[in-house]
Each structure stands twice: as structure tokens, then as C-alpha cells.
């Protein structure tokens, strides 16, 4: 059974840091595209960072330079280090995964491409 479980969310003040973790079971994350998404009230879920099987990363402009995605393939854990947090970063953060296929041959940040999702973890940043 495939499962993704996020942890590490919480409440911080503006300028603070948090590190999110996503533990995967049922498959090896090293061969998948792994992504972090977030959703704020009234907005669609947005992809903010991904990492492909070779370790190449992509970031949304809103988090580039502040967030870092990484993975420990041996332990099957995905991470998101978030620094210099802003109130606009408040939301529910999800990890997700998609395999590669003829229709999705590259690692994306497109929500419908991702087939496996965690339950989410809340991040609240106060000013």
C-alpha cells in the first residue's frame, strides 16, 4: 500500500524556519518525481518545489531562494527546508509523487500529474 505522511508543520513568526518531512512507504521515492504543494484558503493547490530521480530540483518563484527540497532515498524521506518564512507562506503543505510515463515524461509541478498524496500538514506564519 502506497502512503505518504507529512510532518513538521507548526506555527512560527515571520522570518522563522521550519523543516517539513514526508515519509513514504510502499515504494521507493528515488525513482519518482517528488513534489511539495501548498494550499491556502480560497486558492488552488500550487506546486512549490520538486525533485526528480536524478536529484534535479525546480522551485516556484514565490519560494525560490528561501525553500530547499531534498530527499534521503535510502530512508525514503522527502524534506522541505523553509527559511525566511512570510505570512503569505501560511497554508496546508502536501507532499506528492508521480511516476514517469509517455504522457508525463518529466518531473513537473502540475497538480493533476501527481497520483499519490499525503494528508497535509499545516504551516502558519504570523507577522
Amino acid at each position: 500500500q502506497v502512503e505518504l505522511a507529512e510532518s513538521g508543520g507548526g506555527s512560527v513568526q515571520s522570518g522563522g524556519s521550519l523543516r517539513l518531512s514526508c515519509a513514504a512507504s510502499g515504494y521507493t521515492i528515488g525513482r519518482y518525481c517528488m513534489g511539495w504543494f501548498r494550499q491556502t484558503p480560497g486558492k488552488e493547490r500550487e506546486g512549490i518545489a520538486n525533485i526528480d530521480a536524478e536529484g534535479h530540483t525546480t522551485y516556484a518563484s514565490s519560494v525560490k531562494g528561501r525553500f530547499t527540497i531534498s530527499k534521503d532515498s535510502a530512508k525514503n524521506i522527502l524534506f522541505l527546508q523553509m527559511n525566511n518564512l512570510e505570512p503569505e507562506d501560511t497554508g496546508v503543505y502536501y507532499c506528492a509523487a508521480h511516476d514517469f510515463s509517455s504522457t508525463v515524461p518529466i518531473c513537473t509541478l502540475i497538480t493533476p500529474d501527481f497520483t499519490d498524496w499525503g494528508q497535509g500538514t499545516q504551516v502558519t506564519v504570523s507577522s
Side-chain angles (χ1 to χ4, degrees), residues 92-110:
V92 180
Y93 284 69
Y94 301 87
C95 68
H98 78 68
D99 205 347
F100 298 96
S101 66
S102 58
T103 54
V104 189
I106 61 172
C107 195
T108 78
L109 281 174
I110 301 172

Side-chain angles (χ1 to χ4, degrees), residues 22-77:
C22 173
S25 60
Y27 61 94
T28 303
I29 68 171
R31 59 179 291 268
Y32 285 78
C33 173
M34 303 298 299
W36 284 100
F37 290 74
R38 70 181 176 195
Q39 188 160 21
T40 56
K43 293 185 178 181
E44 292 187 356
R45 192 172 299 186
E46 64 168 334
I48 57 174
N50 69 17
I51 185 167
D52 69 9
E54 287 75 37
H56 302 121
T57 59
T58 303
Y59 297 93
S61 57
S62 58
V63 305
K64 196 170 186 178
R66 300 186 298 123
F67 292 8
T68 302
I69 187 172
S70 62
K71 62 182 177 179
D72 185 331
S73 296
K75 296 183 178 179
N76 242 13
I77 303 176

